[in-house]
CSV table of all heavy atoms in Angstrom, one decimal:
chain,number,residue,atom,x,y,z
A,730,SER,N,-12.0,-22.2,33.6
A,730,SER,CA,-10.7,-22.0,34.3
A,730,SER,C,-10.9,-22.3,35.8
A,730,SER,O,-9.9,-22.8,36.4
A,730,SER,CB,-10.2,-20.6,34.1
A,730,SER,OG,-11.3,-19.7,34.5
A,747,GLU,N,-4.8,-12.3,30.5
A,747,GLU,CA,-5.3,-12.8,29.2
A,747,GLU,C,-6.1,-11.8,28.5
A,747,GLU,O,-5.9,-11.5,27.3
A,747,GLU,CB,-6.1,-14.1,29.4
A,747,GLU,CG,-6.7,-14.7,28.2
A,747,GLU,CD,-5.7,-15.0,27.1
A,747,GLU,OE1,-4.5,-15.3,27.4
A,747,GLU,OE2,-6.1,-14.9,25.9
A,755,PHE,N,-5.8,-6.9,19.8
A,755,PHE,CA,-7.0,-6.5,19.1
A,755,PHE,C,-6.9,-5.1,18.7
A,755,PHE,O,-7.2,-4.7,17.5
A,755,PHE,CB,-8.2,-6.8,19.9
A,755,PHE,CG,-9.5,-6.5,19.1
A,755,PHE,CD1,-9.9,-7.2,18.0
A,755,PHE,CD2,-10.3,-5.5,19.6
A,755,PHE,CE1,-11.0,-6.9,17.3
A,755,PHE,CE2,-11.5,-5.1,18.9
A,755,PHE,CZ,-11.8,-5.8,17.8
A,771,SER,N,-8.5,12.6,6.8
A,771,SER,CA,-7.6,13.8,6.9
A,771,SER,C,-7.3,14.4,5.6
A,771,SER,O,-7.3,15.6,5.4
A,771,SER,CB,-6.3,13.5,7.7
A,771,SER,OG,-5.5,12.6,6.9
A,830,PHE,N,12.9,-16.7,-17.0
A,830,PHE,CA,14.3,-17.1,-16.9
A,830,PHE,C,14.5,-17.8,-15.6
A,830,PHE,O,15.0,-18.9,-15.5
A,830,PHE,CB,15.2,-16.0,-17.1
A,830,PHE,CG,16.7,-16.4,-17.0
A,830,PHE,CD1,17.3,-16.9,-18.1
A,830,PHE,CD2,17.4,-16.2,-15.8
A,830,PHE,CE1,18.6,-17.3,-18.0
A,830,PHE,CE2,18.7,-16.6,-15.7
A,830,PHE,CZ,19.3,-17.2,-16.8
A,848,GLU,N,15.8,-8.9,-6.1
A,848,GLU,CA,15.1,-8.4,-4.9
A,848,GLU,C,15.9,-7.2,-4.2
A,848,GLU,O,15.2,-6.3,-3.7
A,848,GLU,CB,14.9,-9.5,-3.9
A,848,GLU,CG,13.7,-10.4,-4.3
A,848,GLU,CD,13.7,-11.7,-3.5
A,848,GLU,OE1,14.3,-11.8,-2.4
A,848,GLU,OE2,13.1,-12.7,-4.1
A,856,ILE,N,15.1,7.5,-3.7
A,856,ILE,CA,15.9,8.7,-3.9
A,856,ILE,C,17.2,8.4,-4.6
A,856,ILE,O,17.7,9.2,-5.4
A,856,ILE,CB,16.2,9.4,-2.6
A,856,ILE,CG1,16.8,10.8,-2.8
A,856,ILE,CG2,17.1,8.6,-1.6
A,856,ILE,CD1,16.7,11.7,-1.7
A,857,ILE,N,17.7,7.1,-4.4
A,857,ILE,CA,18.9,6.7,-5.1
A,857,ILE,C,18.6,6.6,-6.6
A,857,ILE,O,19.4,7.1,-7.5
A,857,ILE,CB,19.4,5.4,-4.6
A,857,ILE,CG1,19.6,5.4,-3.1
A,857,ILE,CG2,20.7,5.0,-5.3
A,857,ILE,CD1,20.6,6.4,-2.6
A,861,TRP,N,20.5,8.9,-9.5
A,861,TRP,CA,21.1,8.1,-10.6
A,861,TRP,C,20.5,8.5,-11.9
A,861,TRP,O,21.2,8.8,-12.9
A,861,TRP,CB,20.9,6.6,-10.4
A,861,TRP,CG,21.5,5.8,-11.4
A,861,TRP,CD1,22.9,5.5,-11.6
A,861,TRP,CD2,20.8,5.1,-12.5
A,861,TRP,NE1,23.0,4.7,-12.7
A,861,TRP,CE2,21.8,4.4,-13.3
A,861,TRP,CE3,19.5,5.0,-12.9
A,861,TRP,CZ2,21.5,3.7,-14.4
A,861,TRP,CZ3,19.2,4.3,-14.0
A,861,TRP,CH2,20.2,3.6,-14.7
A,865,VAL,N,23.2,10.3,-14.2
A,865,VAL,CA,23.7,9.3,-15.1
A,865,VAL,C,22.8,9.1,-16.3
A,865,VAL,O,23.2,9.2,-17.5
A,865,VAL,CB,24.0,8.0,-14.4
A,865,VAL,CG1,24.5,6.9,-15.3
A,865,VAL,CG2,24.9,8.2,-13.2
A,939,GLY,N,5.5,-33.2,-26.6
A,939,GLY,CA,6.5,-32.8,-27.5
A,939,GLY,C,6.5,-31.3,-27.7
A,939,GLY,O,7.1,-30.8,-28.7
A,943,TRP,N,9.1,-22.8,-24.9
A,943,TRP,CA,8.3,-21.6,-25.1
A,943,TRP,C,6.8,-22.0,-25.2
A,943,TRP,O,5.9,-21.3,-24.7
A,943,TRP,CB,8.8,-20.9,-26.3
A,943,TRP,CG,7.8,-19.8,-26.6
A,943,TRP,CD1,7.0,-19.7,-27.7
A,943,TRP,CD2,7.6,-18.5,-25.9
A,943,TRP,NE1,6.3,-18.5,-27.6
A,943,TRP,CE2,6.7,-17.8,-26.5
A,943,TRP,CE3,8.2,-18.0,-24.7
A,943,TRP,CZ2,6.2,-16.6,-26.1
A,943,TRP,CZ3,7.8,-16.8,-24.2
A,943,TRP,CH2,6.8,-16.1,-24.9
A,944,GLU,N,6.5,-23.1,-25.9
A,944,GLU,CA,5.1,-23.5,-26.1
A,944,GLU,C,4.5,-23.9,-24.8
A,944,GLU,O,3.3,-23.6,-24.5
A,944,GLU,CB,5.1,-24.6,-27.1
A,944,GLU,CG,5.2,-24.1,-28.5
A,944,GLU,CD,5.5,-25.2,-29.5
A,944,GLU,OE1,5.8,-26.4,-29.1
A,944,GLU,OE2,5.5,-25.0,-30.7
A,1018,ILE,N,-3.0,19.1,-1.3
A,1018,ILE,CA,-3.6,18.0,-0.6
A,1018,ILE,C,-4.7,17.3,-1.4
A,1018,ILE,O,-4.8,16.1,-1.4
A,1018,ILE,CB,-4.1,18.4,0.8
A,1018,ILE,CG1,-3.0,19.0,1.7
A,1018,ILE,CG2,-4.8,17.3,1.5
A,1018,ILE,CD1,-3.4,19.5,3.0
A,1021,GLY,N,-3.1,15.0,-3.4
A,1021,GLY,CA,-2.8,13.8,-2.6
A,1021,GLY,C,-4.0,12.9,-2.5
A,1021,GLY,O,-3.9,11.6,-2.6
A,1032,ILE,N,-4.2,-0.9,-6.3
A,1032,ILE,CA,-3.6,-1.9,-5.4
A,1032,ILE,C,-4.6,-2.9,-4.8
A,1032,ILE,O,-4.4,-4.1,-4.7
A,1032,ILE,CB,-2.8,-1.2,-4.2
A,1032,ILE,CG1,-1.7,-0.3,-4.8
A,1032,ILE,CG2,-2.2,-2.2,-3.3
A,1032,ILE,CD1,-1.1,0.6,-3.7
A,1040,ARG,N,-5.0,-12.7,-4.2
A,1040,ARG,CA,-5.7,-13.5,-3.2
A,1040,ARG,C,-6.5,-14.7,-3.8
A,1040,ARG,O,-6.5,-15.8,-3.3
A,1040,ARG,CB,-6.7,-12.6,-2.4
A,1040,ARG,CG,-6.4,-12.6,-1.0
A,1040,ARG,CD,-6.8,-11.2,-0.5
A,1040,ARG,NE,-5.7,-10.5,-0.1
A,1040,ARG,CZ,-5.2,-10.5,1.2
A,1040,ARG,NH1,-5.9,-11.1,2.1
A,1040,ARG,NH2,-4.2,-9.8,1.5
B,1257,ARG,N,9.3,-23.8,-35.1
B,1257,ARG,CA,9.0,-23.9,-33.7
B,1257,ARG,C,10.3,-23.8,-32.9
B,1257,ARG,O,10.3,-23.1,-31.9
B,1257,ARG,CB,8.3,-25.2,-33.4
B,1257,ARG,CG,6.9,-25.3,-33.8
B,1257,ARG,CD,6.3,-26.6,-33.6
B,1257,ARG,NE,6.4,-27.1,-32.2
B,1257,ARG,CZ,6.4,-28.3,-31.9
B,1257,ARG,NH1,6.3,-29.3,-32.8
B,1257,ARG,NH2,6.5,-28.7,-30.6
B,1261,ASN,N,11.2,-20.8,-30.3
B,1261,ASN,CA,11.6,-21.2,-28.9
B,1261,ASN,C,12.9,-20.5,-28.6
B,1261,ASN,O,13.0,-19.8,-27.5
B,1261,ASN,CB,11.7,-22.7,-28.9
B,1261,ASN,CG,12.0,-23.2,-27.4
B,1261,ASN,OD1,11.3,-22.7,-26.5
B,1261,ASN,ND2,12.9,-24.1,-27.3
B,1269,LEU,N,16.6,-14.2,-21.5
B,1269,LEU,CA,18.0,-14.1,-20.9
B,1269,LEU,C,18.4,-12.6,-21.0
B,1269,LEU,O,19.0,-12.1,-20.0
B,1269,LEU,CB,18.9,-14.9,-21.7
B,1269,LEU,CG,20.4,-14.9,-21.3
B,1269,LEU,CD1,20.6,-15.5,-19.9
B,1269,LEU,CD2,21.3,-15.6,-22.3
B,1272,THR,N,16.8,-10.7,-18.2
B,1272,THR,CA,17.5,-10.9,-16.9
B,1272,THR,C,18.8,-10.1,-16.8
B,1272,THR,O,19.1,-9.4,-15.8
B,1272,THR,CB,17.8,-12.4,-16.7
B,1272,THR,OG1,16.6,-13.1,-17.0
B,1272,THR,CG2,18.3,-12.6,-15.3
B,1285,THR,N,27.8,3.5,-10.0
B,1285,THR,CA,27.8,5.0,-10.0
B,1285,THR,C,27.9,5.5,-8.5
B,1285,THR,O,28.6,6.4,-8.2
B,1285,THR,CB,26.4,5.5,-10.5
B,1285,THR,OG1,26.1,4.8,-11.6
B,1285,THR,CG2,26.5,7.0,-10.8
B,1340,TYR,N,-2.6,-10.9,16.7
B,1340,TYR,CA,-4.0,-11.1,16.7
B,1340,TYR,C,-4.5,-11.8,15.5
B,1340,TYR,O,-5.3,-12.8,15.6
B,1340,TYR,CB,-4.7,-9.7,16.7
B,1340,TYR,CG,-6.2,-9.8,16.7
B,1340,TYR,CD1,-6.9,-10.1,17.9
B,1340,TYR,CD2,-6.9,-9.7,15.5
B,1340,TYR,CE1,-8.3,-10.2,17.9
B,1340,TYR,CE2,-8.3,-9.8,15.5
B,1340,TYR,CZ,-9.0,-10.1,16.7
B,1340,TYR,OH,-10.3,-10.2,16.7
B,1344,TYR,N,-5.5,-15.0,17.6
B,1344,TYR,CA,-6.9,-14.8,18.2
B,1344,TYR,C,-8.0,-14.8,17.2
B,1344,TYR,O,-9.0,-15.4,17.3
B,1344,TYR,CB,-6.9,-13.5,19.0
B,1344,TYR,CG,-6.2,-13.7,20.3
B,1344,TYR,CD1,-5.0,-12.9,20.6
B,1344,TYR,CD2,-6.6,-14.5,21.3
B,1344,TYR,CE1,-4.4,-13.1,21.8
B,1344,TYR,CE2,-6.0,-14.7,22.5
B,1344,TYR,CZ,-4.8,-13.9,22.8
B,1344,TYR,OH,-4.2,-14.0,23.9
B,1359,ASP,N,-2.2,-5.3,3.4
B,1359,ASP,CA,-1.5,-5.5,2.2
B,1359,ASP,C,-1.6,-4.3,1.3
B,1359,ASP,O,-0.7,-4.0,0.5
B,1359,ASP,CB,-2.1,-6.8,1.5
B,1359,ASP,CG,-1.5,-8.0,2.1
B,1359,ASP,OD1,-0.6,-7.9,2.9
B,1359,ASP,OD2,-2.0,-9.1,1.7
B,1363,SER,N,1.8,-1.4,0.1
B,1363,SER,CA,2.4,-0.8,-1.1
B,1363,SER,C,1.8,0.6,-1.4
B,1363,SER,O,1.9,1.0,-2.5
B,1363,SER,CB,2.2,-1.8,-2.3
B,1363,SER,OG,1.1,-2.6,-2.2
B,1368,ILE,N,1.7,9.8,0.6
B,1368,ILE,CA,0.3,10.0,1.2
B,1368,ILE,C,0.4,9.9,2.7
B,1368,ILE,O,-0.3,10.6,3.4
B,1368,ILE,CB,-0.6,8.8,0.7
B,1368,ILE,CG1,-0.6,8.8,-0.8
B,1368,ILE,CG2,-1.9,8.9,1.3
B,1368,ILE,CD1,-1.6,9.8,-1.4
B,1372,PHE,N,-0.7,12.6,5.5
B,1372,PHE,CA,-1.6,12.3,6.6
B,1372,PHE,C,-1.0,12.7,7.9
B,1372,PHE,O,-1.7,13.4,8.7
B,1372,PHE,CB,-1.7,10.7,6.6
B,1372,PHE,CG,-2.3,10.1,7.8
B,1372,PHE,CD1,-3.6,10.5,8.3
B,1372,PHE,CD2,-1.6,9.1,8.5
B,1372,PHE,CE1,-4.1,9.9,9.4
B,1372,PHE,CE2,-2.1,8.5,9.6
B,1372,PHE,CZ,-3.4,9.0,10.1
B,1375,GLU,N,-1.1,16.4,8.3
B,1375,GLU,CA,-2.5,16.9,8.7
B,1375,GLU,C,-2.8,16.7,10.1
B,1375,GLU,O,-3.3,17.6,10.8
B,1375,GLU,CB,-3.5,16.2,7.8
B,1375,GLU,CG,-3.7,16.8,6.4
B,1375,GLU,CD,-4.4,18.1,6.5
B,1375,GLU,OE1,-5.5,18.2,7.1
B,1375,GLU,OE2,-3.9,19.1,5.9
B,1426,TYR,N,-2.4,-20.2,29.7
B,1426,TYR,CA,-3.4,-19.4,28.9
B,1426,TYR,C,-2.7,-19.0,27.6
B,1426,TYR,O,-1.5,-19.0,27.5
B,1426,TYR,CB,-3.7,-18.1,29.7
B,1426,TYR,CG,-4.8,-18.3,30.7
B,1426,TYR,CD1,-4.7,-18.8,32.0
B,1426,TYR,CD2,-6.1,-18.0,30.2
B,1426,TYR,CE1,-5.7,-19.0,32.8
B,1426,TYR,CE2,-7.2,-18.2,31.1
B,1426,TYR,CZ,-7.0,-18.7,32.3
B,1426,TYR,OH,-8.1,-18.9,33.2
B,1428,TRP,N,-2.1,-16.1,26.3
B,1428,TRP,CA,-1.1,-15.1,26.4
B,1428,TRP,C,0.3,-15.6,26.9
B,1428,TRP,O,1.3,-15.3,26.4
B,1428,TRP,CB,-1.5,-13.9,27.4
B,1428,TRP,CG,-1.4,-14.3,28.9
B,1428,TRP,CD1,-2.4,-14.9,29.6
B,1428,TRP,CD2,-0.3,-14.1,29.7
B,1428,TRP,NE1,-2.0,-15.0,30.9
B,1428,TRP,CE2,-0.7,-14.5,31.0
B,1428,TRP,CE3,0.9,-13.5,29.6
B,1428,TRP,CZ2,0.1,-14.5,32.1
B,1428,TRP,CZ3,1.8,-13.5,30.7
B,1428,TRP,CH2,1.4,-13.9,31.9
B,1483,PRO,N,18.0,11.3,3.9
B,1483,PRO,CA,17.3,11.4,2.6
B,1483,PRO,C,17.0,12.8,2.2
B,1483,PRO,O,17.2,13.2,1.0
B,1483,PRO,CB,16.0,10.6,2.9
B,1483,PRO,CG,16.4,9.7,4.0
B,1483,PRO,CD,17.3,10.4,4.8
B,1509,THR,N,22.5,3.5,1.0
B,1509,THR,CA,22.3,2.3,0.2
B,1509,THR,C,23.0,1.1,0.8
B,1509,THR,O,22.4,0.1,0.9
B,1509,THR,CB,22.7,2.5,-1.2
B,1509,THR,OG1,22.2,3.8,-1.7
B,1509,THR,CG2,22.3,1.4,-2.1
B,1520,ARG,N,17.7,-11.7,4.8
B,1520,ARG,CA,17.6,-12.9,3.9
B,1520,ARG,C,18.4,-14.1,4.5
B,1520,ARG,O,18.0,-15.2,4.5
B,1520,ARG,CB,18.1,-12.6,2.5
B,1520,ARG,CG,17.1,-12.5,1.5
B,1520,ARG,CD,17.5,-11.7,0.3
B,1520,ARG,NE,16.9,-10.4,0.4
B,1520,ARG,CZ,15.7,-10.2,0.1
B,1520,ARG,NH1,14.9,-11.1,-0.4
B,1520,ARG,NH2,15.2,-8.9,0.2
Side-chain angles (χ1 to χ4, degrees):
Chain A
S730 55
E747 177 57 30
F755 181 66
S771 68
F830 181 80
E848 281 164 24
I856 189 161
I857 306 298
W861 181 77
V865 179
W943 172 252
E944 283 164 350
I1018 295 178
I1032 299 171
R1040 238 150 246 267
Chain B
R1257 287 174 57 205
N1261 187 42
L1269 180 67
T1272 310
T1285 321
Y1340 180 80
Y1344 286 114
D1359 280 352
S1363 31
I1368 302 276
F1372 165 58
E1375 279 288 306
Y1426 271 88
W1428 74 271
T1509 311
R1520 248 158 261 280

